[in-house]
Amino acid sequence: LTGDGFPREFEDRAELRKAARAKFSPMAGGIVRVLDHDCVWIGKCVDEGNHPEFLFFLFFAVLAIGLYFCVFLAVHPSIGKVLVSTLAPMTPVQIYAEARVLCVACLLAVSLILSVLGLLSFQLWGAAFNVTTVELMRWRREHALVPVPWCWGGE
């Protein structure tokens, strides 16, 4: 029982008993079986039913950004020279406005691909160890100073 007298598996927002790994999703407006997280990018909650599609979405997002970066470098071959030349000390007059835009676009593409790749690796780690994002965040709140276990064998 919780402090308010309800059983632990009772969800007061939905006024229902919930399954073992079910969680309440504000985005879905009810209880969702094996909820991973509410995703604002796809406009749905990610759960056991659409988690493989979400992983494909992240994988193809990484591929699309990588393809953009490769096409960008192929269309603007001077960007390689500009990126290498920025390592050497140069005056601002030597760097053209177009080269600045190219450098910013490359840095943006690289940072975007690294962030989406990090999200993909986190989701693959959770799928490999059968841990949802909601469960991991709850565990981190309860064990604030303990490192995250690599194998989710039990609590």
Side-chain angles (χ1 to χ4, degrees), residues 2-153:
T2 60
D4 52 5
F6 290 107
R8 187 170 299 279
E9 66 272 359
F10 184 79
E11 178 59 55
D12 57 346
R13 291 174 283 189
E15 298 180 355
L16 296 169
R17 285 178 101 78
K18 61 182 181 177
R21 295 182 73 186
K23 303 286 184 271
F24 181 81
S25 167
M27 191 171 278
I31 295 177
V32 177
R33 282 189 48 167
V34 193
L35 173 70
D36 190 71
H37 67 280
D38 288 329
C39 183
V40 297
W41 302 110
I42 61 172
K44 297 172 118 180
C45 58
V46 178
D47 60 358
E48 68 179 352
N50 63 357
H51 196 262
E53 289 85 4
F54 182 70
L55 291 176
F56 280 120
F57 167 72
L58 292 177
F59 176 73
F60 285 115
V62 168
L63 281 181
I65 298 167
L67 180 65
Y68 163 77
F69 187 66
C70 292
V71 168
F72 186 76
L73 289 178
V75 170
H76 297 287
S78 63
I79 189 64
K81 292 183 223 168
V82 171
L83 289 175
V84 171
S85 66
T86 56
L87 299 175
M90 296 177 67
T91 64
V93 176
Q94 293 172 317
I95 300 177
Y96 300 103
E98 180 181 348
R100 289 182 190 166
V101 171
L102 295 176
C103 286
V104 168
C106 280
L107 291 174
L108 181 65
V110 168
S111 64
L112 195 59
I113 199 167
L114 288 176
S115 63
V116 175
L117 195 59
L119 181 60
L120 176 62
S121 63
F122 174 74
Q123 289 294 318
L124 288 173
W125 175 86
F129 291 107
N130 196 21
V131 178
T132 66
T133 304
V134 173
E135 292 168 343
L136 183 62
M137 293 301 121
R138 174 175 287 153
W139 189 88
R140 283 187 174 170
R141 277 195 306 271
E142 292 172 355
H143 304 87
L145 300 176
V146 179
V148 178
W150 287 105
C151 180
W152 207 269

